[in-house]
Amino acid sequence: MEPALLITLIVIAVVLVLLIVWIWVTYNRLTKNRIRVDEAWSDITVQLKRRADLIPNLINTVAGYAQHEQRVFSEVTQARSETLSASTPGEASVAENHLQGALRSLFAVAEAYPQLQASNNFTQLQRDLVQTEDKIQSSRRYYNGSVRELNTSIKVFPNNVVAGPFGFSEREFFDVADRAAISEPPRVQF
């Protein structure tokens, strides 16, 4: 075999090996980003479920003092149901808007009852809700950061050469249409 042909074959083999290694590394990086996004979404759903679990107790506590506010209670219950059934960031965003508005109405009702405000059960539920809202905001930030990283990795060249054929697709941010509704957690301190 001629030395020039041997050198050409070695160069081709090295280039192929480098290409395979590059595809492998890129695929693994994209997979890690996708898993991070899935994990972050799972964290959000856990916190949304935790908050949803607090709401019936909150409704029952307020209802003990304000039985005539059935409209508010049914709005909160409906919004809670929307939150629990949301399976995508878009659906969760819509549900978040509804729930925040319903909780504001519930706490507005609670402000009219000083005995309720002095209740230890109500005070503890308020504290738990505020802590959960903080965790939801933190989880939302982490999720959106993970989505940004994944989406950027998918779009940039040369990663997009690997992303497309291997089925990597962009993810949806957990954003809300009414930013004012979630700019701060529902006011639960009296």
Side-chain angles (χ1 to χ4, degrees), residues 110-184:
E111 286 179 8
Y113 296 90
Q115 306 91 351
L116 173 62
Q117 296 170 19
S119 162
N120 287 338
N121 188 30
F122 187 68
T123 304
Q124 183 59 46
L125 286 169
Q126 290 174 349
R127 231 178 272 124
D128 291 346
L129 187 59
V130 167
Q131 290 172 351
T132 302
E133 291 293 336
D134 290 344
K135 290 176 183 177
I136 290 170
Q137 286 182 1
S138 175
S139 296
R140 181 184 292 127
R141 282 190 300 270
Y142 180 73
Y143 172 80
N144 284 337
S146 297
V147 167
R148 182 188 62 242
E149 188 174 327
L150 174 65
N151 290 351
T152 301
S153 295
I154 288 171
K155 285 181 175 181
V156 298
F157 181 81
N159 291 355
N160 59 358
V161 173
V162 174
F166 285 105
F168 290 93
S169 59
E170 291 183 52
R171 294 293 182 91
E172 184 179 5
F173 287 99
F174 184 19
D175 207 7
V176 283
D178 182 7
R179 290 193 179 276
I182 59 130
S183 61
E184 60 184 58

Side-chain angles (χ1 to χ4, degrees), residues 44-55:
I44 286 175
T45 59
V46 165
Q47 295 307 321
L48 292 175
K49 171 96 171 76
R50 182 175 188 274
R51 181 182 57 197
D53 290 345
L54 290 171
I55 289 173

Side-chain angles (χ1 to χ4, degrees), residues 24-113:
W24 177 52
V25 168
T26 302
Y27 177 84
N28 284 341
R29 184 174 46 248
L30 290 169
T31 300
K32 286 177 187 177
N33 287 346
R34 182 170 52 192
I35 290 169
R36 188 175 302 123
V37 168
D38 292 341
E39 176 189 11
W41 179 247
S42 177
D43 290 346
I44 286 175
T45 59
V46 165
Q47 295 307 321
L48 292 175
K49 171 96 171 76
R50 182 175 188 274
R51 181 182 57 197
D53 290 345
L54 290 171
I55 289 173
N57 294 333
L58 189 62
I59 290 173
N60 290 337
T61 301
V62 174
Y65 291 88
Q67 290 98 5
H68 63 282
E69 300 288 349
Q70 289 303 315
R71 180 189 59 79
V72 172
F73 302 144
S74 66
E75 286 175 2
V76 172
T77 302
Q78 167 97 21
R80 176 186 180 269
S81 177
E82 284 180 40
T83 298
L84 288 174
S85 65
S87 60
T88 66
E91 291 173 4
S93 295
V94 171
E96 275 296 290
N97 286 333
H98 294 154
L99 185 60
Q100 292 297 325
L103 286 175
R104 281 188 173 76
S105 297
L106 181 68
F107 286 114
V109 167
E111 286 179 8
Y113 296 90

